[in-house]
Every structure is written in C-alpha cells, then in structure tokens.
Amino acid sequence: MQESSNPIQPIFNYNDVFFSFFYDDVGSCIHRSSDYALNYVYAGEMVLDYGTEQIRIGKGECVFIPRDHHITLYKKSCDGERYCGIFLKFTRPFLREMYGRFGQGRVPDSTPKLDGGPIKLPRTAELTSLFASMTPYFDPEVKPQGDFMDLKMQEGLLALLHIDDRFAPTLFDFNEPWKIDILEFLNQNYMYEFTMAEMAHYTGRSLATFKRDFKKISDLTPEKWLIRKRLEVAYAKIKEGGRKVVEVYAEVGFKNPSHFSTAFKKQYGVPPTALLA
C-alpha cells in the first residue's frame, strides 16, 4: 500500500498487522496489493473508491479488501475524532500455513468463490472482540510480541471464515501462484499508470512470464494496448455519451488534453472535438 505524504500519519507494522492514525483532516493512500486484507476503523471514517463504486466504513466497522485491486482509501476525521484504523494483511505464505489448520474439508468443493470487489462486513462478536483486544497497540510505547500478533491474524482469518462459506475457497485458492487474467486486470485498471513490472506483480507473474503471456493475447506492447484501450473508452464516452473532451481525457488516464488529442487523432484520423460536431 502506498501512503500519501501528509505531514503526520504514524503507521506501525507488527507482523503484517498495521496500526495507523492521522492528525490532519484527511489522509489518503493508493491500495495496490497482491494480498488479501482486513481493515477495521476504530475512529473517524474511511471511504473506499474503486472506480465504479464508493464504500463508507464508519467507526466500529470493518471491510474485506480482495487482492489485486487498485483502490483509493480516504481516511478522515468524523464526529471530532481523528482516523484510527487496524489493517491485517493475509499473505500467501500465511494462508498456505492456515489452510492445513482450518481450510481442508471446511466447505464442499462446490462452494463458489466471492465476487470481486471490497466487502463491508457485518458487525460480528468475533470481529468486535478481535479488534477491541488490539487497540492498546495504538500506543507506540506498547509493542506486542510477534507470536501474539500471529494469533490475532489467525483470529481475523477465522472470523472471516465464519461470516461466509465463500471466504474459504477464495482465500485458500493457490492455483498458479496468484496468477490472474491479464486482460481482466487491464480492462478494470486501464486508467491507471503502471510500469510493466507493476503489471507483472499485480497479475501474479514474474516480469519475464508477464511479457511471454502478454504476447499470447496481443500483438501490441502492454503500453500501446493501454493507450488503445483508453482511446476506445474515450471515443465511446464522447460519441455515445455526449461527454466533453475536458471531462474525459483525465478520466481515461491521459495526463493532459494535448497528449490525448494527438493520440486520438492518430488512431481515429480526426480530433476528439470532431465527434461532437
């Protein structure tokens, strides 16, 4: 997760359990991770924005964040309280270890996985008890032991497994080491700036494997594919949606209108403004 550069925003990491709080009015970060996560709001509020929808998480609420998603998290004060949150990251090695303890035979093989996207979780006794026991560690002078944090991670995982049977096949999916469909990922995230190394990482591949797999699905380079995708979406928004150029270029991922107009004319033979004539 890449945090913004706000002046005072302490974050403490204890064995993949993150405690964060903000003194300023609004804190934000871009969440990009190949790991599943659980985020609890102890005070203040958090808004998750993942393009097509926003989810508000208030005090005492918790959200499950799936892996391989690009999400902007806005953390802010609410009702006079600064934001305080606890973030649990479920890594692949941790889930593999836990599968041997909790996953095998837990649910029938026919149980479907969860749909994509963050999930606002119900307030269960298990989640309430878990996070209530962890709040003393917002004090940086009180450092927990590593094995104690490991137990809290296990509690968080079990809390999810008891909420919905579909968490088990979702979290304990170890097919092709986290490899996900490249086109599905790029179609959902075409508007963001990625290096090729980042695209490889977020689709669960080494850079060499990503390049090889991408050649199987397109004759273009990943960079050119993204530009073409952005232009196709922009064309539809302007031509069919009647949107203005100044409203569209940044929305689809271009940095400035000049670059957008040049690329648009190169692909379609006319400037984008011609579609509004």
Side-chain angles (χ1 to χ4, degrees):
M1 181 158 51
Q2 303 173 351
E3 296 284 348
S4 64
S5 56
N6 290 322
I8 305 177
Q9 50 169 18
I11 300 171
F12 309 105
N13 176 13
Y14 304 118
N15 291 40
D16 291 326
V17 179
F18 298 79
F19 294 79
S20 62
F21 52 94
F22 294 79
Y23 288 101
D24 47 8
D25 185 49
V26 177
S28 67
C29 66
I30 303 298
H31 177 92
R32 294 176 181 171
S33 177
S34 57
D35 298 309
Y36 294 106
L38 192 60
N39 207 133
Y40 174 79
V41 176
Y42 175 69
E45 70 173 3
M46 180 172 65
V47 177
L48 285 74
D49 186 338
Y50 56 105
T52 59
E53 188 178 348
Q54 287 190 342
I55 299 178
R56 179 188 175 278
I57 310 300
K59 180 178 180 178
E61 295 182 322
C62 192
V63 62
F64 172 76
I65 304 177
R67 61 179 172 85
D68 301 314
H69 274 62
H70 183 293
I71 300 171
T72 302
L73 309 179
Y74 297 97
K75 304 172 182 180
K76 37 189 180 176
S77 300
C78 185
D79 297 329
E81 294 183 315
R82 69 169 184 254
Y83 171 84
C84 294
I86 303 174
F87 182 92
L88 279 64
K89 183 172 71 170
F90 300 121
T91 65
R92 180 178 174 81
F94 169 78
L95 290 173
R96 272 200 174 280
E97 180 183 352
M98 292 302 104
Y99 176 70
R101 299 188 193 183
F102 309 128
Q104 291 178 320
R106 187 174 189 91
V107 295
D109 292 339
S110 58
T111 304
K113 297 180 185 177
L114 292 164
D115 296 331
I119 300 172
K120 188 173 182 177
L121 299 171
R123 297 195 190 207
T124 66
E126 290 80 9
L127 287 174
T128 300
S129 173
L130 166 66
F131 290 111
S133 71
M134 297 169 71
T135 54
Y137 303 111
F138 278 113
D139 182 351
E141 300 300 318
V142 182
K143 185 176 180 179
Q145 298 298 317
D147 53 359
F148 186 77
M149 285 293 98
D150 288 341
L151 287 174
K152 295 303 174 185
M153 291 287 292
Q154 293 179 38
E155 284 186 51
L157 175 62
L158 283 172
L160 287 175
L161 296 177
H162 283 290
I163 288 172
D164 191 320
D165 285 346
R166 292 176 297 170
F167 275 110
T170 299
L171 292 167
F172 298 131
D173 176 14
F174 304 115
N175 293 326
E176 289 198 72
W178 303 93
K179 188 183 288 187
I180 65 172
D181 184 85
I182 291 176
L183 287 183
E184 179 182 353
F185 175 80
L186 293 180
N187 276 313
Q188 292 176 349
N189 298 280
Y190 66 87
M191 68 292 294
Y192 303 114
E193 287 295 328
F194 293 111
T195 64
M196 197 177 302
E198 287 176 322
M199 286 186 267
H201 173 72
Y202 296 126
T203 58
R205 293 164 170 83
S206 67
L207 183 57
T209 301
F210 176 82
K211 290 178 178 178
R212 184 179 67 247
D213 288 353
F214 196 86
K215 286 182 179 178
K216 297 176 184 177
I217 58 178
S218 177
D219 293 329
L220 300 174
T221 64
E223 294 85 356
K224 289 183 177 179
W225 187 96
L226 284 173
I227 290 174
R228 187 180 69 178
K229 174 66 177 181
R230 292 169 182 167
L231 291 171
E232 289 173 349
V233 174
Y235 186 98
K237 287 177 178 289
I238 297 171
K239 181 69 174 179
E240 300 166 16
R243 302 282 301 282
K244 296 179 180 179
V245 175
V246 293
E247 299 173 339
V248 168
Y249 79 89
E251 198 173 290
V252 299
F254 282 90
K255 294 297 184 183
N256 60 73
S258 177
H259 181 206
F260 170 66
S261 295
T262 300
F264 192 97
K265 187 173 182 179
K266 182 177 180 181
Q267 176 154 321
Y268 293 109
V270 295
T273 52
L275 301 184
L276 298 172

